[in-house]
mmCIF file of all heavy atoms in Angstrom:
data_model
loop_
_atom_site.group_PDB
_atom_site.id
_atom_site.type_symbol
_atom_site.label_atom_id
_atom_site.label_comp_id
_atom_site.label_asym_id
_atom_site.label_seq_id
_atom_site.Cartn_x
_atom_site.Cartn_y
_atom_site.Cartn_z
ATOM 1 N N ARG U 68 14.219 7.840 27.103
ATOM 2 C CA ARG U 68 14.529 8.148 25.706
ATOM 3 C C ARG U 68 15.729 7.336 25.234
ATOM 4 O O ARG U 68 16.737 7.230 25.921
ATOM 5 C CB ARG U 68 14.842 9.642 25.553
ATOM 6 C CG ARG U 68 13.675 10.563 25.892
ATOM 7 C CD ARG U 68 12.615 10.514 24.840
ATOM 8 N NE ARG U 68 11.574 11.514 25.086
ATOM 9 C CZ ARG U 68 10.442 11.578 24.409
ATOM 10 N NH1 ARG U 68 10.186 10.708 23.450
ATOM 11 N NH2 ARG U 68 9.555 12.504 24.682
ATOM 12 N N HIS U 69 15.602 6.802 24.037
ATOM 13 C CA HIS U 69 16.582 5.903 23.473
ATOM 14 C C HIS U 69 17.684 6.681 22.741
ATOM 15 O O HIS U 69 18.785 6.183 22.512
ATOM 16 C CB HIS U 69 15.842 4.983 22.492
ATOM 17 C CG HIS U 69 16.682 3.987 21.800
ATOM 18 N ND1 HIS U 69 17.290 2.947 22.458
ATOM 19 C CD2 HIS U 69 17.009 3.855 20.494
ATOM 20 C CE1 HIS U 69 17.953 2.210 21.576
ATOM 21 N NE2 HIS U 69 17.801 2.743 20.393
ATOM 22 N N ALA U 70 17.366 7.935 22.360
ATOM 23 C CA ALA U 70 18.316 8.732 21.584
ATOM 24 C C ALA U 70 18.075 10.200 21.903
ATOM 25 O O ALA U 70 17.131 10.546 22.611
ATOM 26 C CB ALA U 70 18.114 8.464 20.100
ATOM 27 N N THR U 71 18.956 11.043 21.368
ATOM 28 C CA THR U 71 18.837 12.490 21.588
ATOM 29 C C THR U 71 18.308 13.139 20.316
ATOM 30 O O THR U 71 18.698 12.744 19.218
ATOM 31 C CB THR U 71 20.216 13.083 21.943
ATOM 32 O OG1 THR U 71 20.637 12.488 23.173
ATOM 33 C CG2 THR U 71 20.173 14.594 22.090
ATOM 34 N N CYS U 72 17.441 14.113 20.488
ATOM 35 C CA CYS U 72 16.876 14.798 19.333
ATOM 36 C C CYS U 72 17.137 16.292 19.458
ATOM 37 O O CYS U 72 16.818 16.889 20.491
ATOM 38 C CB CYS U 72 15.373 14.525 19.287
ATOM 39 S SG CYS U 72 14.596 15.350 17.930
ATOM 40 N N SER U 73 17.725 16.880 18.429
ATOM 41 C CA SER U 73 18.060 18.302 18.473
ATOM 42 C C SER U 73 17.558 18.998 17.219
ATOM 43 O O SER U 73 17.460 18.388 16.149
ATOM 44 C CB SER U 73 19.576 18.504 18.531
ATOM 45 O OG SER U 73 20.175 17.571 19.381
ATOM 46 N N ALA U 74 17.273 20.292 17.379
ATOM 47 C CA ALA U 74 16.847 21.086 16.218
ATOM 48 C C ALA U 74 18.067 21.454 15.387
ATOM 49 O O ALA U 74 19.090 21.891 15.914
ATOM 50 C CB ALA U 74 16.130 22.342 16.699
ATOM 51 N N LEU U 75 17.933 21.244 14.087
ATOM 52 C CA LEU U 75 19.042 21.565 13.180
ATOM 53 C C LEU U 75 18.938 23.013 12.706
ATOM 54 O O LEU U 75 19.928 23.699 12.510
ATOM 55 C CB LEU U 75 18.975 20.620 11.978
ATOM 56 C CG LEU U 75 20.253 20.349 11.221
ATOM 57 C CD1 LEU U 75 21.311 19.765 12.127
ATOM 58 C CD2 LEU U 75 19.972 19.412 10.050
ATOM 59 N N VAL U 76 17.701 23.458 12.513
ATOM 60 C CA VAL U 76 17.406 24.850 12.153
ATOM 61 C C VAL U 76 16.278 25.288 13.092
ATOM 62 O O VAL U 76 15.840 24.509 13.941
ATOM 63 C CB VAL U 76 16.954 24.965 10.678
ATOM 64 C CG1 VAL U 76 18.058 24.583 9.731
ATOM 65 C CG2 VAL U 76 15.720 24.087 10.418
ATOM 66 N N ARG U 77 15.785 26.508 12.911
ATOM 67 C CA ARG U 77 14.634 26.930 13.727
ATOM 68 C C ARG U 77 13.475 25.971 13.433
ATOM 69 O O ARG U 77 13.099 25.769 12.268
ATOM 70 C CB ARG U 77 14.250 28.370 13.380
ATOM 71 C CG ARG U 77 13.205 28.957 14.285
ATOM 72 C CD ARG U 77 12.918 30.406 13.866
ATOM 73 N NE ARG U 77 11.642 30.842 14.380
ATOM 74 C CZ ARG U 77 11.443 31.321 15.604
ATOM 75 N NH1 ARG U 77 12.456 31.433 16.431
ATOM 76 N NH2 ARG U 77 10.247 31.692 16.002
ATOM 77 N N THR U 78 12.922 25.399 14.491
ATOM 78 C CA THR U 78 11.996 24.279 14.320
ATOM 79 C C THR U 78 10.748 24.468 15.165
ATOM 80 O O THR U 78 10.840 24.874 16.325
ATOM 81 C CB THR U 78 12.719 22.967 14.733
ATOM 82 O OG1 THR U 78 13.771 22.733 13.801
ATOM 83 C CG2 THR U 78 11.794 21.780 14.751
ATOM 84 N N ARG U 79 9.614 24.182 14.553
ATOM 85 C CA ARG U 79 8.352 24.251 15.294
ATOM 86 C C ARG U 79 7.732 22.860 15.319
ATOM 87 O O ARG U 79 7.659 22.189 14.283
ATOM 88 C CB ARG U 79 7.411 25.242 14.605
ATOM 89 C CG ARG U 79 6.130 25.528 15.349
ATOM 90 C CD ARG U 79 5.469 26.795 14.793
ATOM 91 N NE ARG U 79 5.297 26.724 13.355
ATOM 92 C CZ ARG U 79 4.269 26.136 12.751
ATOM 93 N NH1 ARG U 79 3.308 25.573 13.465
ATOM 94 N NH2 ARG U 79 4.176 26.107 11.438
ATOM 95 N N VAL U 80 7.339 22.426 16.499
ATOM 96 C CA VAL U 80 6.749 21.095 16.643
ATOM 97 C C VAL U 80 5.434 21.192 17.414
ATOM 98 O O VAL U 80 5.186 22.162 18.124
ATOM 99 C CB VAL U 80 7.695 20.114 17.398
ATOM 100 C CG1 VAL U 80 8.997 19.911 16.653
ATOM 101 C CG2 VAL U 80 7.945 20.577 18.819
ATOM 102 N N VAL U 81 4.611 20.169 17.235
ATOM 103 C CA VAL U 81 3.424 20.007 18.082
ATOM 104 C C VAL U 81 3.697 18.809 18.981
ATOM 105 O O VAL U 81 4.135 17.756 18.497
ATOM 106 C CB VAL U 81 2.163 19.758 17.229
ATOM 107 C CG1 VAL U 81 1.028 19.252 18.087
ATOM 108 C CG2 VAL U 81 1.742 21.023 16.516
ATOM 109 N N ALA U 82 3.488 18.972 20.276
ATOM 110 C CA ALA U 82 3.728 17.869 21.216
ATOM 111 C C ALA U 82 2.408 17.161 21.505
ATOM 112 O O ALA U 82 1.367 17.800 21.667
ATOM 113 C CB ALA U 82 4.323 18.414 22.507
ATOM 114 N N ILE U 83 2.472 15.830 21.535
ATOM 115 C CA ILE U 83 1.299 15.024 21.930
ATOM 116 C C ILE U 83 1.677 14.263 23.188
ATOM 117 O O ILE U 83 2.605 13.447 23.166
ATOM 118 C CB ILE U 83 0.893 14.044 20.815
ATOM 119 C CG1 ILE U 83 0.514 14.818 19.547
ATOM 120 C CG2 ILE U 83 -0.265 13.155 21.265
ATOM 121 C CD1 ILE U 83 0.209 13.932 18.357
ATOM 122 N N LYS U 84 0.972 14.534 24.269
ATOM 123 C CA LYS U 84 1.274 13.862 25.539
ATOM 124 C C LYS U 84 0.607 12.492 25.547
ATOM 125 O O LYS U 84 -0.343 12.254 24.779
ATOM 126 C CB LYS U 84 0.783 14.695 26.714
ATOM 127 C CG LYS U 84 1.496 16.033 26.824
ATOM 128 C CD LYS U 84 1.004 16.788 28.047
ATOM 129 C CE LYS U 84 1.612 18.168 28.113
ATOM 130 N NZ LYS U 84 1.107 19.088 27.076
ATOM 131 N N SER U 85 1.095 11.624 26.458
ATOM 132 C CA SER U 85 0.580 10.251 26.456
ATOM 133 C C SER U 85 -0.938 10.224 26.672
ATOM 134 O O SER U 85 -1.638 9.425 26.083
ATOM 135 C CB SER U 85 1.292 9.408 27.499
ATOM 136 O OG SER U 85 1.218 10.042 28.744
ATOM 137 N N GLY U 86 -1.446 11.142 27.473
ATOM 138 C CA GLY U 86 -2.882 11.159 27.724
ATOM 139 C C GLY U 86 -3.702 11.678 26.561
ATOM 140 O O GLY U 86 -4.927 11.662 26.610
ATOM 141 N N GLU U 87 -3.017 12.162 25.530
ATOM 142 C CA GLU U 87 -3.750 12.739 24.396
ATOM 143 C C GLU U 87 -3.726 11.839 23.167
ATOM 144 O O GLU U 87 -4.435 12.101 22.193
ATOM 145 C CB GLU U 87 -3.122 14.088 24.008
ATOM 146 C CG GLU U 87 -3.210 15.131 25.089
ATOM 147 C CD GLU U 87 -2.307 16.325 24.840
ATOM 148 O OE1 GLU U 87 -1.522 16.298 23.883
ATOM 149 O OE2 GLU U 87 -2.381 17.274 25.637
ATOM 150 N N LEU U 88 -2.905 10.786 23.203
ATOM 151 C CA LEU U 88 -2.721 9.987 21.983
ATOM 152 C C LEU U 88 -4.007 9.294 21.550
ATOM 153 O O LEU U 88 -4.361 9.306 20.372
ATOM 154 C CB LEU U 88 -1.600 8.966 22.166
ATOM 155 C CG LEU U 88 -1.323 8.121 20.923
ATOM 156 C CD1 LEU U 88 -0.786 8.972 19.774
ATOM 157 C CD2 LEU U 88 -0.353 6.987 21.219
ATOM 158 N N LEU U 89 -4.707 8.694 22.501
ATOM 159 C CA LEU U 89 -5.923 7.959 22.126
ATOM 160 C C LEU U 89 -6.960 8.888 21.514
ATOM 161 O O LEU U 89 -7.630 8.540 20.547
ATOM 162 C CB LEU U 89 -6.510 7.226 23.328
ATOM 163 C CG LEU U 89 -5.769 5.951 23.735
ATOM 164 C CD1 LEU U 89 -6.457 5.311 24.931
ATOM 165 C CD2 LEU U 89 -5.689 4.961 22.587
ATOM 166 N N MET U 90 -7.073 10.098 22.092
ATOM 167 C CA MET U 90 -8.024 11.060 21.539
ATOM 168 C C MET U 90 -7.603 11.487 20.132
ATOM 169 O O MET U 90 -8.426 11.596 19.225
ATOM 170 C CB MET U 90 -8.125 12.280 22.463
ATOM 171 C CG MET U 90 -9.180 13.277 22.062
ATOM 172 S SD MET U 90 -10.807 12.556 21.843
ATOM 173 C CE MET U 90 -11.351 12.441 23.536
ATOM 174 N N LYS U 91 -6.286 11.675 19.972
ATOM 175 C CA LYS U 91 -5.767 12.033 18.647
ATOM 176 C C LYS U 91 -6.112 10.927 17.634
ATOM 177 O O LYS U 91 -6.569 11.214 16.522
ATOM 178 C CB LYS U 91 -4.248 12.242 18.734
ATOM 179 C CG LYS U 91 -3.526 12.424 17.412
ATOM 180 C CD LYS U 91 -3.795 13.776 16.814
ATOM 181 C CE LYS U 91 -3.119 13.939 15.452
ATOM 182 N NZ LYS U 91 -3.679 15.067 14.705
ATOM 183 N N LEU U 92 -5.903 9.677 18.035
ATOM 184 C CA LEU U 92 -6.175 8.562 17.115
ATOM 185 C C LEU U 92 -7.664 8.437 16.826
ATOM 186 O O LEU U 92 -8.065 8.029 15.738
ATOM 187 C CB LEU U 92 -5.638 7.247 17.681
ATOM 188 C CG LEU U 92 -4.116 7.167 17.804
ATOM 189 C CD1 LEU U 92 -3.701 5.823 18.374
ATOM 190 C CD2 LEU U 92 -3.435 7.389 16.466
ATOM 191 N N ARG U 93 -8.472 8.788 17.808
ATOM 192 C CA ARG U 93 -9.926 8.727 17.606
ATOM 193 C C ARG U 93 -10.373 9.789 16.602
ATOM 194 O O ARG U 93 -11.217 9.552 15.757
ATOM 195 C CB ARG U 93 -10.621 8.941 18.955
ATOM 196 C CG ARG U 93 -12.092 8.642 18.951
ATOM 197 C CD ARG U 93 -12.637 8.785 20.356
ATOM 198 N NE ARG U 93 -14.083 8.800 20.323
ATOM 199 C CZ ARG U 93 -14.839 7.720 20.273
ATOM 200 N NH1 ARG U 93 -14.279 6.530 20.271
ATOM 201 N NH2 ARG U 93 -16.149 7.810 20.237
ATOM 202 N N ARG U 94 -9.751 10.963 16.714
ATOM 203 C CA ARG U 94 -10.128 12.061 15.818
ATOM 204 C C ARG U 94 -9.434 11.969 14.461
ATOM 205 O O ARG U 94 -9.878 12.551 13.489
ATOM 206 C CB ARG U 94 -9.777 13.401 16.485
ATOM 207 C CG ARG U 94 -10.601 13.672 17.737
ATOM 208 C CD ARG U 94 -9.972 14.780 18.558
ATOM 209 N NE ARG U 94 -9.948 16.032 17.858
ATOM 210 C CZ ARG U 94 -10.821 17.011 18.053
ATOM 211 N NH1 ARG U 94 -11.768 16.871 18.951
ATOM 212 N NH2 ARG U 94 -10.736 18.122 17.385
#
Side-chain angles (χ1 to χ4, degrees):
Chain U
R68 297 288 187 189
H69 180 67
T71 297
C72 179
S73 319
L75 205 58
V76 295
R77 188 179 160 84
T78 294
R79 187 164 53 84
V80 299
V81 166
I83 299 175
K84 296 182 185 70
S85 53
E87 297 166 354
L88 182 65
L89 284 181
M90 186 53 80
K91 172 73 183 164
L92 294 180
R93 191 176 167 83
R94 294 164 63 100

